[in-house]
């Protein structure tokens, strides 16, 4: 079993399915999240993955003690998932998503993304 770990910034609140912002603001947030995920994946040393499927495990480290809705957090990660998929060459339709328990409060928040696949 092969694995890799990527640390991403906390998702922009405009990416939440409950956000009701202007479409252009949402488009900018999506583009920024996708680009950040792509470059942070490359920076973590993750190359193209030759796998039919992989498990992607999210661990959320919130920026505050506020209660965050877990399904909205996962949905907020869609643009970042597209950036990771582009970097590793495995379409996100072939991913199995898993969610670890939430981590402790982290200044500015972060998301730990673990990739696991068969070599």
């Amino acid at each position: 079993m092969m694995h890799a770990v990527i640390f991403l910034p906390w998702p922009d609140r405009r990416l939440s399915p409950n956000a009701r912002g202007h479409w252009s603001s949402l488009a900018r947030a999506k583009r920024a999240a996708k680009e950040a995920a792509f470059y942070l994946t490359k920076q973590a040393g993750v190359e193209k993955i030759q796998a039919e499927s992989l498990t992607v495990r999210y661990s959320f480290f919130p920026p505050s003690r506020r209660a965050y809705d877990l399904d909205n957090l996962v949905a907020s990660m869609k643009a970042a998932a597209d950036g990771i998929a582009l970097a590793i060459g495995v379409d996100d339709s072939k991913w199995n998503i898993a969610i670890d328990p939430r981590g402790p409060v982290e200044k500015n928040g972060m998301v730990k993304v673990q990739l696991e696949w068969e070599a």
Side-chain angles (χ1 to χ4, degrees):
M1 179 77 67
M2 304 289 291
H3 64 85
V5 178
I6 306 158
F7 294 95
L8 300 178
W10 189 253
D12 189 309
R13 69 176 138 194
R14 295 175 293 178
L15 298 174
S16 170
N18 292 336
R20 299 287 178 251
H22 192 271
W23 66 266
S24 65
S25 176
L26 176 61
R28 280 192 300 277
K30 285 181 178 179
R31 183 175 55 249
K34 183 176 179 177
E35 288 177 2
F38 177 85
Y39 290 114
L40 289 169
T41 300
K42 292 295 189 181
Q43 185 179 15
V46 184
E47 300 292 329
K48 297 287 184 184
I49 295 174
Q50 301 298 321
E52 292 296 315
S53 68
L54 68 147
T55 299
V56 178
R57 185 175 310 278
Y58 292 130
S59 300
F60 295 98
F61 297 82
S64 70
R65 292 179 185 248
R66 181 172 91 77
Y68 292 92
D69 192 11
L70 196 55
D71 61 338
N72 285 340
L73 287 175
V74 173
S76 297
M77 293 298 296
K78 176 60 178 137
D82 290 342
I84 294 170
L86 186 62
I88 65 173
V90 178
D91 189 76
D92 59 348
S93 66
K94 295 179 170 64
W95 292 10
N96 299 308
I97 302 291
I99 302 165
D100 278 350
R102 292 179 202 176
V105 171
E106 182 77 30
K107 184 177 180 178
N108 298 323
M110 73 169 185
V111 181
K112 178 180 173 185
V113 182
Q114 298 176 73
L115 308 176
E116 300 170 356
W117 69 95
E118 294 291 329

